[in-house]
Amino acid sequence: MQLDHLQMNVKRSGTEIDALFLAIEERASETAELEEIIICCEAKGRRDDILEDQLVSQIKEVFRIPAITQDIGIPIAVKAVSPSRVYCVEFDAISRRNAPDVVSLQRVSEAIYVFRPAIPGIGQ
């Protein structure tokens, strides 16, 4: 899998996306075709809550951006929880076709990461 950072602070009329990434992975087939996936990332500080409706709004909005041609989007959130420690949560992939009807998200992965050596400013 390849993961590329595309842009920070994507401001749209309905929402703001903290970061956009492009993932490229091999499809599970014999043809070794590549699939592109757009990833919307919401970043939160220690005092901020991860809001599902905000993530739903972001995944809907990303498919309205004319330059976004990918058919699959994945919402993720990263929250600082203490010094040099972040909580990351990934939600189930959303297809462009189904995005307008999405009202809730399904968690598929979550973890806490500790940075060593410590990174000043994260979670302080």
Side-chain angles (χ1 to χ4, degrees):
M1 174 187 271
Q2 176 180 325
L3 184 65
D4 296 316
H5 177 253
L6 298 178
Q7 187 174 345
M8 299 287 290
N9 299 322
V10 180
K11 295 182 192 310
R12 302 286 292 172
S13 62
T15 191
E16 181 177 337
I17 303 167
D18 290 330
L20 280 179
F21 297 88
L22 176 65
I24 302 171
E25 68 177 1
E26 241 180 76
R27 289 186 180 169
S29 70
E30 295 177 16
T31 61
E33 292 178 34
L34 297 178
E35 180 175 38
E36 291 186 350
I37 301 165
I38 196 75
I39 299 173
C40 300
C41 179
E42 177 64 18
K44 296 291 190 180
R46 286 178 69 178
R47 292 175 183 85
D48 302 318
D49 293 328
I50 296 172
L51 304 174
E52 184 178 14
D53 61 329
Q54 189 175 32
L55 295 165
V56 167
S57 176
Q58 291 174 359
I59 199 69
K60 288 180 177 188
E61 188 63 33
V62 78
F63 288 125
R64 293 187 193 111
I65 299 172
I68 301 295
T69 60
Q70 292 72 27
D71 288 325
I72 301 292
I74 296 176
I76 67 170
V78 178
K79 176 182 172 59
V81 293
S82 63
S84 289
R85 187 178 296 232
V86 295
Y87 166 73
C88 298
V89 59
E90 174 189 350
F91 296 90
D92 203 7
I94 307 292
S95 71
R96 177 183 292 276
R97 178 183 68 240
N98 294 336
D101 300 323
V102 171
V103 293
S104 67
L105 301 172
Q106 181 78 22
R107 289 177 196 221
V108 295
S109 174
E110 57 187 334
I112 292 180
Y113 294 95
V114 179
F115 299 110
R116 300 207 197 283
I119 301 173
I122 292 184
Q124 296 175 334

